[in-house]
Amino acid sequence: SDVAQACQSVLGQAVYSGGSIAFTPFYATSAGVTAASSDVWGGSYSYLVPVDSSVDERANGYEKSVSLSANEVAAKVKSAMKVDLYAYSDNPDDWFGIESYTEGEQYVKEIRVGDKTTSGRAFREQVMNLRSAAFDIDYDGSRFTFTTRGYGHGVGMSQNGANFYAKDGWSYTDILEHYYPGTQVQ
């Protein structure tokens, strides 16, 4: 089969950094740029740094929105963070403030939720269950709309991006060395 032949052709190869096998995380779709491991998980790898992956903008579902009432949002925040947003302010426009972004200006690094600050990753995963930490928040007077770009943690290789690069003629080594800069495939 084609899959068996593909596997056989790369048997014994790996991605290396400094003579050791590299940590090579992946996810579905970037937000147009990848995220540094230090911004998402805290660990620092010289090859898990932001790289361009704007080809991901072609992916189905690259941008998705979810709309929730102010009451639904307040309930999620109270449950996950023990923050009472209505006690913080009776104006939901005041409830959130994006404090900083990671390098590349796509992924939320820190967000103020009422009187607490948390990471964009924690807000995405533990509070709102969003597709990505690359998000915008809009409040229209009754409902919040959270619009995400990409899908997943954003560190390392984007599966959709790799697929687009392959269709654009890139070799698998070019793709791996792009998403994990400074590594060698051997």
Side-chain angles (χ1 to χ4, degrees):
S1 80
D2 290 344
V3 172
Q5 287 175 331
C7 291
Q8 195 63 41
S9 72
V10 297
L11 201 59
Q13 290 189 350
V15 179
Y16 290 89
S17 174
S20 298
I21 291 180
F23 171 49
T24 55
F26 60 92
Y27 52 93
T29 310
S30 83
V33 65
T34 68
S37 60
S38 56
D39 284 330
V40 177
W41 299 314
S44 184
Y45 294 85
S46 62
Y47 52 86
L48 293 179
V49 294
V51 299
D52 177 75
S53 191
S54 51
V55 292
D56 279 310
E57 294 171 13
R58 297 189 230 163
N60 273 345
Y62 168 75
E63 193 171 280
K64 287 273 191 184
S65 293
V66 61
S67 182
L68 300 167
S69 71
N71 286 343
E72 290 170 307
V73 170
K76 284 179 174 279
V77 167
K78 190 164 192 169
S79 173
M81 296 183 68
K82 311 300 182 237
V83 171
D84 183 339
L85 291 174
Y86 283 110
Y88 175 77
S89 172
D90 58 8
N91 182 358
D93 256 335
D94 298 334
W95 290 357
F96 302 107
I98 295 174
E99 302 284 313
S100 61
Y101 292 90
T102 62
E103 185 181 342
E105 300 297 310
Q106 283 294 330
Y107 300 91
V108 174
K109 186 170 188 170
E110 288 189 316
I111 180 172
R112 179 191 51 75
V113 181
D115 58 1
K116 281 190 183 172
T117 299
T118 191
S119 70
R121 175 188 176 204
F123 186 77
R124 168 207 174 215
E125 294 175 3
Q126 298 160 16
V127 182
M128 297 305 301
N129 194 27
L130 299 173
R131 291 169 52 94
S132 167
F135 60 83
D136 298 320
I137 304 171
D138 182 59
Y139 181 67
D140 70 3
S142 65
R143 297 184 70 76
F144 281 96
T145 300
F146 297 87
T147 302
T148 57
R149 291 170 303 288
Y151 189 13
H153 51 70
V155 179
M157 185 174 67
S158 160
Q159 292 169 296
N160 273 307
N163 186 41
F164 289 125
Y165 284 132
K167 287 178 177 175
D168 288 348
W170 291 32
S171 71
Y172 72 93
T173 55
D174 290 341
I175 293 167
L176 290 167
E177 290 174 358
H178 171 74
Y179 281 111
Y180 309 107
T183 63
Q184 303 78 43
V185 178
Q186 50 192 34

